[in-house]
Structures are given as structure tokens and as C-alpha cells.
Amino acid sequence: MAELISSGTGRGAVGRQVRLPLRQALAIALRSLKLRLARSVLTFLTITMAMAFLVDVWITNALDPTVRNAILIQRHIPVVVAVRRTREIWLVVLSLLVCMVGISNAMLINVMERFREIGTMKCLGALNSFILKLFLLESLGLGVLGTLAGLLFGLAVAMAVALNHFGAVFWTLAPWGALAGILPACLAIGPAITVLAALYPAWKAACMEPVAAMRVEV
Amino acid sequence: MVTPRTASLESIAPAAGREEIVRTIDVVKEYRVGDQVLRALKGVNVTIYRGEYISIMGPSGSGKSTLFNAIGGLDKPTSGKVFIDEVDVAQLDALELAWLRCRKIGYIFQTFNLITVMTALENVALPMIFAGLSEADAREKAKAILERVELGHRIYNKPSQLSGGQQQRVAIARAFANDPAIILADEPTGNLDLNTGKAIIALLKRMNREQGATVISATHDLKMLDVSDRIFWIRDGMVEKIQNRAEVVIDAGEMH
């Protein structure tokens, strides 16, 4: 008899919610980005600029001493050890941090604005993990797009400056292997910092009570 | 102790519609405001039966919303118990609560609360997808429900392209998506004009009759009295009186 009661077919039985529709979360995340286009574009640009800065500094720092030394050796001039440009590294780290704070704030505003939507979804049966996914996907989307744009922009700037500085000889002397390693690293760093920045806002959204849907005042 | 056999017999042939769907036992809710304790509910005992249309009435600050939220499993009482369909809500974990909200309860809000980025069809389909239906099945069923609330021609519209009354119709369709036993409507006519409000009340009543779902509505709207089977009057954190429709109609007659 006890078995029959716990088998959960009659009245008085409660099941456990398990469904995790990722595609729905993705669709909602993408459309939410479009709905808040101005803010999305601003966040996108922040990531783009920060990543472009990172790529540019990284490539230039790898390129400059190598190519310069190669040129010096070619002309039989003794090589002086180059001073690492630590100030630029400070600036890059700072810019990435500022970028993270910006994303975090934008997402927090997003979450606060959408309290009713989040509460409603929870009333409809959404799990915390669904809400978490919603906001992390939104952030990840911006992160990937912003990083790709930043990568192209930073690469273009670094190459143009190097070409202008060293002339055509740069093409033959540049350490292409080392440069090729920088791009995938940046491709990982960009989305990683955007998702990291969105963790707290997304968690805050996920923990929101369904009763938030009932709130009338904003 | 009720055996499963008699329980299932009951659900086939309820004794004249007297099958319990919600019961509250000595529900007390206290809020801390600074170092003061505010008692929003001071021990509420009500029983609601399957298929009923209940209105919870009372002035703001009476504890009406607190009681409503407790019944809906949205708020845990400080003490006392709330049973929904024979299940003690306080005993449920997060996953079970989500399951309950998804399948047993349909929510209707004063501010409609449609997901702005989704079409009417997608809004109605969403709770079904949360319940595990495939997207195709959910859309098909959502379409059928939208036709029943007379919005078959606007299923691809976003909420911003719909009037308030139409949005509330979509919300009603969404609330009925998973054939819930209980519909909780929080001031469903609060943001609507007189005639639209009337139409929404009529629709709720019709769905209540056709689907057999219990409708529980927290409201200020006296238009609701006409369709309610019983009215709970809440004052000062307690149930002041419970009236059935006939009594209310007589009362209203005396007022004129």
C-alpha cells in the first residue's frame, strides 16, 4: 500500500521538476540582448576594446624586442636586453578589471529590471538552474562576439604599427609561431572574464523568489 | 488513514464537489520590521473544495495578499500548515515546489507578466516545455488553448502588440497550460477598464466551469462577487466572514 502511495499517480502526489530546456534559455537570452540593444552594444564595445588592448599589447611586447634584435643582429650591432614594459601590463589588467565591473553592473541592472519576468518564470516552473543559464548565456554571447571583434581589431592595430615601425622586413623576421599562440589564449580569456563577471548577477537572479512576480511597484 | 483505493474512487466521484483541494491550519505569518514584529496573519483556517470559485476580499494591509501567497505556495507561513491537494507545502524541497508550481497551480497576475520577448504562442507553450512536453506538442496545445480564449488570430503577436485585455487572455491561457488543479489570480482585473474586466471575469468563470479548475482570486473588484461561489472576507489578519454567493447578493440588495 505504501508503495502505491509513493508511486505518485493518484492525487496528493508530488513529483520533482527535472526539465532543463537549454534551447529555450538560449532563445530567450538572444532576444533579451536584442531588446536591450543599446546596453548590449555598450557592453559589447567594452569587451571589444579591452580585448583589442590586450591583443595589441601582448603582440607588440612579443614582437618588438624579437624583431628589433633580429634587425640588430642582421646589421652586426650588439644586442641590448630589452626592458619589459610592465606599465602596459598593469594597464591591460586594469582595463580587463574595469571591463568586468562594467559587465557586472550592466547585468545587475538587467536582473533588477527583470524581477517580474524572473519571478513569473519561476511561477511557471523554471528551476534556479534555468534562470542561471539564461543570464550566463546572455553574457557568454556578448563575451564571444566582443572577443572576436576585439581580437581582429587588436591584431590589425598591432600589425599596422609593427609594419610602419620596421618596414617590410618585419614579415620575414616576426616570430609567427609565438604570435599564433596568443590568439587562442585571448579567445579563452575574453569569454571567461565575461562569464565570471556575470556569475554574481546571474546567481542573484536565480535566487529570486517567485513571489517577486506579484510585486506591482518597480 | 485513507487507502489509495478509496482515494482514487473519491477523485472519480467526489462527494457532491466536496473534495478538498486547499486547506490551511492555523496559518500565522509574522514579518520583522526593525525590532517590531508585524503579524500579517493571525491564525487562518480555511478549506477550499475542488472546482470552487473563491474570492479573497479585504482592504490593503489586511493580510489578503499574504494569505493568497501562502495558499499559492509562494510564501512559507511562520507557523501553521498549508495543504495543497493533500500535500503539506512546507515539506517540499525546491524541486518539488517547482514541480507543484508548474503542474498543479496556474498563476494570473495583476500586471499580466507575459514574457516580453516571446510571442503569445511561446508564452503559453513555456510552462508546457518546463513540464517536459516537446516543443511541437507544446505549440500545438498552446494554439488550441489560445483559440479557447478567443485569441486564435493573434498567436504570433508579442505582448507589446496586444491590448491589456488581450494580454490578460494570453496570461489566462498560460495559467491553464498544464491543466492545473488550482488557478491563482492576483487582482486579475486590477489593471483593466470596466468592460474588459467584466470580459476577463466571464472568461475566468467559463474556464473554471469547463476545466473544473479551482479558481482562487485575491481582489478588490466587486464585479467578482457575481461569479464567486464563496467569498472570504479578510480583515486584520483574520477571516472576518465567509459568505456564499446568495448571501452576498442579498447584502448588496440591502445596500441599495
Side-chain angles (χ1 to χ4, degrees):
Chain A
M1 193 192 294
E3 235 181 281
L4 269 175
I5 293 172
S6 61
S7 71
T9 44
R11 59 195 273 250
V14 170
R16 295 169 71 81
Q17 193 80 338
V18 287
R19 181 85 178 164
L20 307 168
L22 184 68
R23 266 194 50 203
Q24 288 289 323
L26 193 65
I28 297 172
L30 283 179
R31 289 191 221 169
S32 298
L33 282 179
K34 250 197 315 198
L35 188 73
R36 295 169 183 78
L37 195 64
R39 201 182 304 157
S40 302
V41 167
L42 207 65
T43 311
F44 164 84
L45 283 178
T46 319
I47 304 165
T48 302
M49 290 315 287
M51 288 313 290
F53 188 27
L54 171 69
V55 171
D56 180 37
V57 167
W58 204 342
I59 288 183
T60 309
N61 273 356
L63 210 59
D64 236 33
T66 325
V67 178
R68 197 182 303 277
N69 291 349
I71 292 172
L72 291 177
I73 290 164
Q74 259 185 1
R75 296 179 190 164
H76 307 290
I77 300 168
V79 172
V80 183
V81 177
V83 182
R84 275 186 75 81
R85 286 187 262 180
T86 48
R87 205 180 52 173
E88 280 184 353
I89 295 168
W90 275 107
L91 278 176
V92 167
V93 171
L94 200 64
S95 89
L96 290 179
L97 261 176
V98 169
C99 171
M100 273 179 81
V101 171
I103 297 167
S104 224
N105 275 334
M107 290 302 279
L108 266 178
I109 295 171
N110 222 333
V111 169
M112 295 310 157
E113 265 180 8
R114 287 159 72 182
F115 68 88
R116 203 176 285 143
E117 182 185 325
I118 297 164
T120 305
M121 285 196 193
K122 288 203 145 182
C123 283
L124 300 181
L127 294 175
N128 290 9
S129 58
F130 179 82
I131 308 289
L132 199 68
K133 259 186 251 172
L134 206 64
F135 284 94
L136 289 184
L137 279 174
E138 240 185 83
S139 177
L140 183 67
L142 275 179
V144 169
L145 287 179
T147 301
L148 283 176
L151 228 61
L152 290 178
F153 187 44
L155 191 66
V157 171
M159 288 299 162
V161 170
L163 207 57
N164 181 45
H165 197 68
F166 299 115
V169 65
F170 156 78
W171 292 114
T172 52
L173 294 178
W176 294 109
L179 290 189
I182 291 175
L183 298 185
C186 291
L187 211 54
I189 290 172
I193 63 163
T194 34
V195 170
L196 204 65
L199 267 182
Y200 173 67
W203 177 78
K204 223 172 147 64
C207 291
M208 218 173 250
E209 292 292 328
V211 76
M214 304 279 183
R215 256 164 61 198
V216 176
E217 81 286 358
V218 178
Chain B
M1 183 67 201
V2 180
T3 65
R5 172 162 279 275
T6 53
S8 64
L9 274 178
E10 249 177 37
S11 56
I12 295 164
R18 300 266 91 178
E19 190 190 328
E20 276 178 28
I21 186 83
V22 176
R23 178 194 275 269
T24 70
I25 300 170
D26 292 326
V27 167
V28 172
K29 180 74 188 184
E30 290 172 348
Y31 292 104
R32 282 202 160 275
V33 184
D35 48 353
Q36 273 189 318
V37 175
L38 209 96
R39 296 192 92 193
L41 292 177
K42 302 171 179 170
V44 174
N45 294 288
V46 292
T47 305
I48 297 169
Y49 300 98
R50 199 179 283 272
E52 273 193 304
Y53 194 120
I54 300 285
S55 287
I56 303 176
M57 295 239 173
S60 345
S62 61
K64 175 184 57 163
S65 304
T66 312
L67 175 64
F68 180 80
N69 291 342
I71 290 175
L74 293 175
D75 205 354
K76 281 195 175 155
T78 312
S79 70
K81 283 183 187 297
V82 176
F83 290 91
I84 295 177
D85 213 4
E86 295 191 346
V87 174
D88 181 359
V89 178
Q91 302 296 320
L92 302 180
D93 66 22
L95 292 183
E96 289 168 334
L97 268 175
W99 187 93
L100 189 86
R101 291 191 193 110
C102 184
R103 294 161 198 248
K104 288 251 166 151
I105 305 175
Y107 297 89
I108 297 167
F109 309 94
Q110 177 175 357
T111 43
F112 319 135
N113 290 19
L114 298 179
I115 311 297
T116 41
V117 296
M118 300 177 100
T119 62
L121 186 70
E122 289 165 332
N123 261 286
V124 180
L126 189 63
M128 303 183 203
I129 286 163
F130 285 142
L133 247 66
S134 76
E135 212 160 315
D137 288 349
R139 289 175 88 90
E140 196 174 316
K141 195 176 164 197
K143 211 170 150 192
I145 302 178
L146 278 166
E147 271 158 19
R148 294 194 47 204
V149 300
E150 288 146 32
L151 272 179
H153 58 299
R154 316 232 39 184
I155 59 173
Y156 297 117
N157 285 100
K158 292 264 175 72
S160 57
Q161 299 162 319
L162 299 171
S163 71
Q166 286 172 330
Q167 287 189 49
Q168 197 60 306
R169 276 170 192 277
V170 176
I172 290 173
R174 185 177 65 181
F176 278 94
N178 289 327
D179 306 307
I182 302 168
I183 294 287
L184 282 173
D186 179 38
E187 302 276 4
T189 56
N191 279 14
L192 299 173
D193 64 58
L194 182 71
N195 284 325
T196 316
K198 273 186 184 164
I200 287 297
I201 291 171
L203 174 65
L204 261 176
K205 183 64 185 175
R206 178 163 70 80
M207 296 294 275
N208 161 246
R209 254 199 322 258
E210 290 175 4
Q211 301 279 109
T214 312
V215 174
I216 303 168
S217 170
T219 185
H220 279 108
D221 191 345
L222 295 173
K223 297 195 289 294
M224 278 282 191
L225 298 182
D226 254 359
V227 297
S228 304
D229 295 317
R230 288 193 294 156
I231 299 105
F232 297 172
W233 297 90
I234 309 294
R235 186 176 287 273
D236 215 10
M238 308 214 270
V239 180
E240 191 184 39
K241 58 182 172 182
I242 296 179
Q243 292 181 300
N244 57 34
R245 188 174 354 172
E247 293 171 83
V248 178
V249 173
I250 291 165
D251 272 9
E254 280 171 353
M255 281 193 285
H256 288 301

